Structures are given as C-alpha cells and as structure tokens.
Amino acid sequence: MAYVDNTMIIRRDLLSKMAELFNEGKFKEGLDRIPLEMAPRRKQDLDRCCVFKERVIVKEKLIPLLGFELEDDRDELKTLAEYAEEALERKNPINKILTVVDEACTSCVKNSYIVTNLCKGCVAHPCMMNCPKDAISWNANGQAQIDPKTCINCGICMNVCPYHSIIFMPVPCENACPVGAISKDQYGIEQIDEDKCIDCGKCITACPFGSIMENSQIVDVMKSIKDEETETIAIVAPAVIGQFKSTTDTVLGAIKQLGFCDVIEVAKGANVTTEREADELLERLEDKAPFMTTSCCPAYVSATEKHIPEIQKYVSETKSPMYYAAEIAREKYPNAKIVFIGPCIAKRREGMKDPNVDYVMTFEELSALFHGWKIEISKEEPLLLDKSILNHGRAYAASGGVAQSVLEVKPYVNIKPVIVNGLDKKKIKMLKAFGKTGKTSGNFVEVMACEGGCIAGPSSNFDPKTGSRLYEKNLAALIESLED
C-alpha cells in the first residue's frame, strides 16, 4: 500500500525536476546538476555515509526514471545528459517494469532473527538448546548471539525465549512480496525474478531506502505531448476521483491543459466491462461452473498465470476497463498516441501487450507533471464530463466495485460476491485452494492486488485511508452534479 515517507518524497522531487527541465527546454544540460543540487557539498542532514554516495544514488535513481534499466556492466562515467539524449531519440519504452538501484540496496541483513539487549543470559539457554543448526552461542557479555552464516531463519529461538529478547527483523521488500519474487544475490543486493514477479509494486512502497524504482515512461509521454504533429490522448482511470483535492472535472481539465488533445474517462470502458462480465458470469453459471473470478486487476491475472494455474479456468475472459477505453479512443483517434493514467504499475505490463495503448503514466508522475509544468489544478477550466458514463463505471476503483457494478447492471443474476481485498501470501494459498477444490463461499470472486482497491495502488498520491475518503466524497459530489 502507498503511504508518504521520505523515499517517496525524493522520488517525486526527482520526477518534478525532470518535468520542469523538460518544459523549460533544459532537459539534457540540466539533469547532470540534479545530484549536486539535491546533495550539496555542505549538506548536514545526510541520509547516507557521505555526500558523494548521496549523489551517486540520486544519479542512479534518475536512470530508471529516464526509462532505462541499471545494467550490472553499465558505464558509471556515462552522464545523465547522455541517457537523456537516448531517451529523447528512442521510439519505444523498454520492456521492463522494475529496477533495483544496487547502490541504495545495502542495509538489510540476510538473517531475519536478531538478539536484542533484552537478553538476560539465562541459565536455561532455551534458544541454544532448541536451535536445529547450532547457530547460537554466547558472547563476552554473557548474551546470546546468532551466527548469520549458520542460521536458517526457522524462528524457534524467538518462540522459546522467555524474555522475548529475540526479534524477527524481515527484509521489507521480500516480506511484502506475495509471490517470493525478490531475494538477495551473493553480494547482498536484492534481485527481482521476472519469471515470478507479478508487477504489483508492493516492494516499491515497502523498501525504506527507496532502492526499487519503476522504469518510467514519463519522458516518452512528455515528448508526445510537446510534439505538435502528434495527437496525444489521455485515458484516465476511475481512481483519479480519489487522487486530488479538487473536483473530478477540474482535475480532468488540468490534464487536458498539459497538452493532451482529449481526455477520456476509463469509466466509459468500465461500463463495457460490467456488461460483458455480467453476461459471462450468467453464462458460466448456466453451464454449472462453481464460480468465476474477475480479470480487471493485471497483477492478479499475472499471479494466476505464474503462481495459481489451478484457478485459471475460472478467470473471466472479459477484458479490463483500460482495454475497452483504449479501444474507444483508438476508434475515435486512429493515429494518436494513447496514454493510460492510473495508480498501477502492473498496468504498464498490460499496456505493453495492448496494441491500443502506447504509454502508461502513474498518478505520481501526473502530479510531477502538474508541479513541473506549473499547472494549478484549482485554476484550470473544468472538463465537461461524459454523461453517457453510468455511475457504476466510476465505482471500479474501490475494492468490491466490480461486484457492486455487476449487481447494479444485472440484479437478476444470482450473484454471491467473494471479495479478495489485496494479495498476500495467505490469499495466494486461499486462491490456490479455490482452484483445486472448485469451492468458495460464493460464485463471483473479485480480486484486487492492492488492499482497498485501485485507489490504494503503489503509485497513488495518498495513503489508502485518505484516498478512500477523498474517493467517496468526490464520487458522491460527481454523481450529484451529473444528476442536476
């Protein structure tokens, strides 16, 4: 889940500085000065050992934000200006979603069980006596110590300690990953296994050092917007309703002011998804299928392909709202560049597979564009909302929204929803059981990888609680305004 911390602020600052330089026509020459500006020589409140390491990490975080992978054999003398020139010349974004900035990934220990100063050096020695690998000994102070080379992280020592002096200290990104796709290499640096990763983005928000970055497409989007010969169309996810402290029509107006030729709500595509999802569910139930699961969340769909093959036959074949919205946009603007804007990292992967989607931009990147291009949302002219969009399409962003929409559109369908609100290791096992047994407590299983739904995506502007409150408030106001 997304929440505000210093690593997020740094990432957003970097994106805003990139956007500002691009808008001012100083992109190539200005990028190389960003590390110096963010880590000046006499900076006192250093987060790391020295100003020079700070600068290296700032530079290496900018590389994936420019849309490049950090190769192990990269030329460390290559300037950001050179990367920028390549980004401006490239035709298509790279086919990779996440990058680990290895210079920033150096502080998490391999072993997860730590003896604290609460250890009393008791005579019973239950930790040592019960350790299956003889990994515990006693130091000069008479306290227990764990040998990280021998420890297998079984946790027995923590469970038997009478003083609770042994604690579990997880590696945050590994602990957050629901599918075990991230682990340390021989150098202690986290590596993401592409064959396991479902692009949910939980590792990004979990890492307290900000060492996991998206390979952004923001440069490609800015190029397209600024190119006078290119039509650029924004299709905006329903979660936008909970991302800004302004009315939805004003936010959409501000997006158009950035230079998009048109702005289309993905809720229009959600209306299509709802109709087809409801029809498909009815057809499957008539064919005696025990249940059907949704297919709107690309991280969940990826999880079924890579980790839960047992449930794949129950996954809906209906496409996501983004797919149908992009189809609508392509029909109206056949030669345009179409940009999906949302809170989701996994949508980048879905966008790469969709011939109608050219680029995917997150709400975090959208906010950086507003800030860097000096767009004040509250002062922009509101966009006239599409009254043909039914309200249920705009309700997709919250967990349970798909089931609610199907119930609203086809109330006669005997739907019994099962809401899987966020994916973690336990819920992956639960879904496996659903697939193996063909049994659930209902017949329509809605799965969202992010707890709270899309409004809590890893690239959202607010924490889930704030986003949910904003979403409910703005959605109610939007519905009321459309009814007038």
Side-chain angles (χ1 to χ4, degrees):
M1 72 177 186
Y3 54 89
V4 176
D5 64 18
N6 194 48
T7 61
M8 283 191 173
I9 291 170
I10 291 169
R11 184 170 69 244
R12 291 168 183 179
D13 282 349
L14 292 174
L15 286 166
S16 295
K17 288 177 186 293
M18 285 172 55
E20 184 176 0
L21 289 170
F22 195 101
N23 193 47
E24 293 175 351
K26 302 175 182 177
F27 193 53
K28 286 191 284 188
E29 62 269 31
L31 281 176
D32 281 313
R33 301 210 61 82
I34 292 179
L36 304 179
E37 293 168 359
M38 294 191 72
R41 184 175 293 275
R42 301 300 178 190
K43 185 179 181 183
Q44 294 180 345
D45 54 337
L46 290 173
D47 292 317
R48 294 178 176 86
C49 60
C50 67
V51 68
F52 303 106
K53 180 152 187 173
E54 289 267 14
R55 290 175 180 176
V56 168
I57 289 173
V58 170
K59 176 187 174 182
E60 300 225 325
K61 285 186 175 184
L62 280 165
I63 293 170
L65 293 182
L66 287 165
F68 296 99
E69 185 179 359
L70 282 169
E71 303 283 357
D72 287 340
D73 59 349
R74 62 188 176 276
D75 180 0
E76 294 182 3
L77 296 180
K78 186 175 179 178
T79 65
L80 289 170
E82 291 175 287
Y83 280 107
E85 189 167 357
E86 288 181 24
L88 293 171
E89 291 177 356
R90 71 171 170 240
K91 300 300 181 185
N92 298 299
I94 65 170
N95 188 28
K96 188 172 171 64
I97 308 298
L98 297 172
T99 286
V100 178
V101 180
D102 52 7
E103 291 293 343
C105 182
T106 56
S107 298
C108 293
V109 294
K110 186 175 181 180
N111 58 309
S112 299
Y113 291 90
I114 308 293
V115 181
T116 70
N117 287 333
L118 293 174
C119 177
K120 302 298 182 183
C122 64
V123 176
H125 297 351
C127 55
M128 183 179 73
M129 299 294 290
N130 290 280
C131 178
K133 294 295 180 180
D134 297 324
I136 299 177
S137 59
W138 303 91
N139 63 24
N141 295 326
Q143 292 179 316
Q145 60 184 16
I146 300 173
D147 181 359
K149 294 180 181 178
T150 312
C151 176
I152 59 171
N153 292 322
C154 66
I156 292 174
C157 58
M158 182 182 75
N159 293 330
V160 299
C161 177
Y163 293 104
H164 304 288
S165 64
I166 300 176
I167 62 169
F168 174 67
M169 190 172 75
V171 177
C173 60
E174 293 180 16
N175 196 51
C177 180
V179 293
I182 187 165
S183 59
K184 290 186 180 298
D185 63 12
Q186 66 268 35
Y187 304 108
I189 305 300
E190 296 295 336
Q191 299 294 318
I192 298 172
D193 186 339
E194 294 285 333
D195 293 331
K196 293 181 179 179
C197 180
I198 60 173
D199 306 307
C200 65
K202 292 179 187 292
C203 56
I204 292 181
T205 55
C207 178
F209 290 91
S211 61
I212 304 174
M213 304 287 288
E214 294 176 68
N215 294 317
S216 175
Q217 297 175 7
I218 192 171
V219 176
D220 307 272
V221 174
M222 291 191 294
K223 279 193 315 184
S224 184
I225 291 173
K226 291 292 187 181
D227 185 353
E228 294 181 357
E229 296 181 2
T230 301
E231 273 188 315
T232 308
I233 310 302
I235 57 173
V236 187
V240 71
I241 296 170
Q243 298 298 312
F244 299 93
K245 294 179 179 178
S246 296
T247 59
T248 304
D249 55 353
T250 306
V251 174
L252 297 178
I255 294 173
K256 194 169 192 303
Q257 188 60 32
L258 286 169
F260 287 98
C261 299
D262 196 3
V263 179
I264 297 171
E265 289 184 76
V266 172
K268 196 175 184 71
N271 286 161
V272 180
T273 296
T274 301
E275 290 282 349
R276 297 190 182 186
E277 197 92 277
D279 290 341
E280 185 179 354
L281 174 62
L282 186 60
E283 184 178 325
R284 288 192 182 219
L285 293 179
E286 287 174 350
D287 290 341
K288 306 303 181 185
F291 66 90
M292 183 181 82
T293 85
T294 55
S295 57
C296 297
C297 175
Y300 164 63
V301 172
S302 183
T304 67
E305 294 168 353
K306 296 181 179 182
H307 303 280
I308 325 173
E310 302 90 342
I311 208 169
Q312 273 194 289
K313 63 183 178 181
Y314 298 113
V315 178
S316 169
E317 295 178 2
T318 299
K319 303 295 185 181
S320 73
M322 181 185 86
Y323 177 91
Y324 294 119
E327 202 172 52
I328 292 165
R330 181 64 68 201
E331 185 176 349
K332 189 174 181 181
Y333 302 101
N335 300 314
K337 293 289 186 182
I338 296 172
V339 182
F340 172 81
I341 304 176
C344 180
I345 291 169
K347 282 293 181 186
R348 289 200 198 279
R349 184 75 66 196
E350 185 184 344
M352 290 172 184
K353 298 175 182 178
D354 190 332
N356 290 322
V357 176
D358 294 285
Y359 307 120
V360 172
M361 186 167 71
T362 66
F363 287 135
E364 191 173 64
E365 292 164 343
L366 175 63
S367 294
L369 269 186
F370 284 151
H371 187 266
W373 290 17
K374 307 295 187 293
I375 300 288
E376 293 187 47
I377 298 174
S378 60
K379 295 183 179 179
E380 299 304 327
E381 183 178 346
L383 191 74
L384 188 64
L385 294 174
D386 186 344
K387 291 192 175 183
S388 71
I389 297 175
L390 302 178
N391 292 334
H392 64 78
R394 296 187 172 100
Y396 260 58
S399 182
V402 183
Q404 177 187 332
S405 298
V406 171
L407 279 167
E408 186 177 326
V409 171
K410 300 286 176 77
Y412 55 85
V413 178
N414 185 27
I415 177 174
K416 298 175 183 176
V418 176
I419 307 302
V420 181
N421 184 19
L423 283 180
D424 55 26
K425 295 177 178 71
K426 288 183 179 179
K427 287 172 183 172
I428 292 286
K429 289 180 180 178
M430 180 184 74
L431 288 164
K432 277 181 177 286
F434 287 175
K436 285 180 179 179
T437 64
K439 295 179 180 178
T440 71
S441 59
N443 57 19
F444 187 69
V445 183
E446 178 183 327
V447 187
M448 293 279 198
C450 297
E451 190 172 342
C454 300
I455 49 177
S459 296
S460 303
N461 286 331
F462 297 105
D463 64 272
K465 286 186 178 179
T466 303
S468 181
R469 285 196 300 269
L470 264 177
Y471 177 76
E472 290 172 7
K473 175 186 173 183
N474 289 341
L475 181 60
L478 187 152
I479 292 172
E480 185 180 348
S481 68
L482 290 173
E483 289 175 348
D484 290 343

